[in-house]
Amino acid sequence: MYAKKPFKRIPPEQGIDELFVGGRANATLRLRMNRKAIVSGAIFSGFGPHPALCRSVHIRPLRKLALARAEKWMLARLEMTDGLGAIYPAMANAIVALRCLGYSRTIRR
């Protein structure tokens, strides 16, 4: 799912505005700055390539190969089984991932 980044726009009437005290327009959605987290994040980000840099490279053949392998792996584990053991996050993620890969709702391509 992360490779495809699916996005679904929700109409305002189906939103969650009622969860914001005083409405969404008056809500403060900022997090407090944690200096320790910023320092430790800066230290650990120096140990490996930055994710944004990796995404900007766009090594397409490897991505296609990785997606094909992930699809094959997932289908092998879903085929001839009773499902994903009623673990809702796994079921929901599997459905979204297959829809991102072009499968229909009946799991036939």
Side-chain angles (χ1 to χ4, degrees):
M1 290 182 335
Y2 184 78
K4 299 290 184 176
K5 294 183 179 58
F7 181 81
K8 176 72 173 167
R9 188 167 302 279
I10 298 173
E13 63 272 7
Q14 293 180 349
I16 58 169
D17 289 337
E18 67 273 8
L19 298 179
F20 296 95
V21 177
R24 184 179 287 224
N26 299 327
T28 304
L29 299 176
R30 295 184 184 181
L31 298 174
R32 293 183 187 165
M33 186 173 15
N34 183 341
R35 295 189 191 281
K36 285 184 180 180
I38 292 172
V39 171
S40 64
I43 291 170
F44 286 111
S45 67
F47 288 125
H50 196 273
L53 178 66
C54 294
R55 283 191 299 271
S56 68
V57 174
H58 296 295
I59 304 173
R60 294 295 179 199
L62 293 179
R63 178 165 284 215
K64 287 181 183 179
L65 177 65
L67 285 173
R69 284 188 179 181
E71 177 183 2
K72 183 179 176 182
W73 182 90
M74 193 166 71
L75 290 175
R77 279 145 184 84
L78 290 175
E79 199 169 319
M80 305 299 285
T81 66
D82 290 333
L84 296 169
I87 301 169
Y88 183 74
M91 293 186 298
N93 288 335
I95 290 168
V96 172
L98 290 171
R99 297 284 289 150
C100 286
L101 291 172
Y103 286 85
S104 70
R105 292 182 181 190
T106 58
I107 311 291
R108 291 190 188 117
R109 210 170 200 184

